Amino acid sequence: DVIVPCAEGQYNLHFFMRWGDVAAGGGGFMTTSRSSGQVMIHNVIQQTNAEWDGHFAIGSVHSRSWISEKLILAKASHLANLCRYLATQVLASGCGTPDAVIGLAPDGIALAQGVGAPLATHFTDEAVANRFVSLYMDERYTLPSEYKAMLRGRNVVVVQSVIYTGKVTARLMDVVRSHGGTVVTVAALITRGRDTRQTIGNVPVIALYDYSAEDWPEADCPLCKEGIVPPTDLTTKRAPG
């Protein structure tokens, strides 16, 4: 077993390293290299047909393509492996000893639990493991009343399925800080290739896959100029920020 020292405790990587790269179709041990994460998530995107072509409004920009995180999250076996892999990246990032994970409902509930459970289980310091919590905010960025006192003094990992513009991330971080928590890292399955660090400050961003796609400000969108109107809600493929 590999024991990695932290600022406040230790964690055990044996659990993570013994899981085969199921989503990527390979065997053996799951590595902690970022390139392996990119292969894994890319294969999951292909297997779930989660990459869509069309005309999408993503915050203040428009694009020809969108990744449907809901299709990725719907596959339980894929999601379990992706969450375990993302947890390895959190541990390898040197962010200290996190003792809370939080996501935005509805998608962030599964992610927070999926990433938080293996993190908590494999801290060798029992006090740290017992302190670990997986939380969520509702879609209005409000914490359930039972959770409001639980963030104070904790080192928090903010999880998201896809980071688009970074505005959602920034709001999540603001709520965590307003309740006395410290955001130590942001962990996402996918970013759209933008530099979100300027939006969310100096907190490091961990992502399994940087998805590059051409996009434009609404005023410069060539699809709009052709008269192609983007859908207006998620059921007709409008992406969030």
Side-chain angles (χ1 to χ4, degrees):
D1 293 3
V2 180
I3 306 297
V4 182
C6 304
E8 299 175 13
Q10 292 182 318
Y11 44 81
N12 185 333
L13 288 182
H14 176 72
F15 168 81
F16 300 110
M17 300 303 288
R18 69 185 174 86
W19 282 92
D21 190 344
V22 175
F29 295 107
M30 183 182 291
T31 70
T32 57
S33 70
R34 193 165 179 274
S35 60
S36 296
Q38 291 177 333
V39 171
M40 180 189 297
I41 191 68
H42 179 70
N43 286 344
V44 171
I45 289 170
Q46 290 185 321
Q47 292 168 21
T48 57
N49 295 315
E51 184 175 14
W52 295 354
D53 294 324
H55 184 190
F56 307 101
I58 305 170
S60 60
V61 300
H62 286 201
S63 179
R64 294 183 187 273
S65 60
W66 181 38
I67 297 292
S68 173
E69 60 266 36
K70 294 190 182 300
L71 289 178
I72 296 173
L73 296 175
K75 297 293 187 180
S77 60
H78 291 157
L79 180 60
N81 280 282
L82 291 171
C83 286
R84 292 186 193 107
Y85 197 94
L86 195 54
T88 69
Q89 300 301 296
V90 171
L91 294 179
S93 70
C95 67
T97 306
D99 50 12
V101 178
I102 193 165
L104 182 68
D107 300 344
I109 297 176
L111 280 175
Q113 294 174 342
V115 174
L119 285 179
T121 302
H122 294 278
F123 277 101
T124 59
D125 186 323
E126 186 175 351
V128 175
N130 289 339
R131 178 176 166 79
F132 208 101
V133 293
S134 295
L135 310 176
Y136 70 89
M137 302 176 205
D138 67 23
E139 293 176 278
R140 297 170 296 176
Y141 299 89
T142 302
L143 282 169
S145 58
E146 298 91 337
Y147 292 171
K148 291 183 178 179
M150 299 177 79
L151 283 175
R152 184 165 301 279
R154 279 188 162 86
N155 294 321
V156 183
V157 177
V158 172
V159 293
Q160 285 186 260
S161 51
V162 182
I163 296 178
Y164 292 95
T165 64
K167 293 179 180 178
V168 170
T169 314
R171 290 192 65 180
L172 289 168
M173 292 169 61
D174 287 344
V175 174
V176 169
R177 290 166 176 159
S178 71
H179 288 85
T182 300
V183 180
V184 295
T185 194
V186 173
L189 299 180
I190 301 168
T191 63
R192 280 189 59 96
R194 296 185 183 87
D195 182 5
T196 60
R197 292 172 188 258
Q198 184 177 357
T199 304
I200 63 173
N202 295 320
V203 175
V205 178
I206 299 168
L208 296 187
Y209 187 65
D210 290 327
Y211 177 73
S212 297
E214 186 178 12
D215 49 45
W216 317 271
E218 182 175 356
D220 299 329
C221 176
L223 300 175
C224 288
K225 293 177 180 179
E226 293 174 13
I228 303 172
V229 179
T232 56
D233 59 53
L234 278 173
T235 61
T236 51
K237 305 180 184 180
R238 179 183 177 90

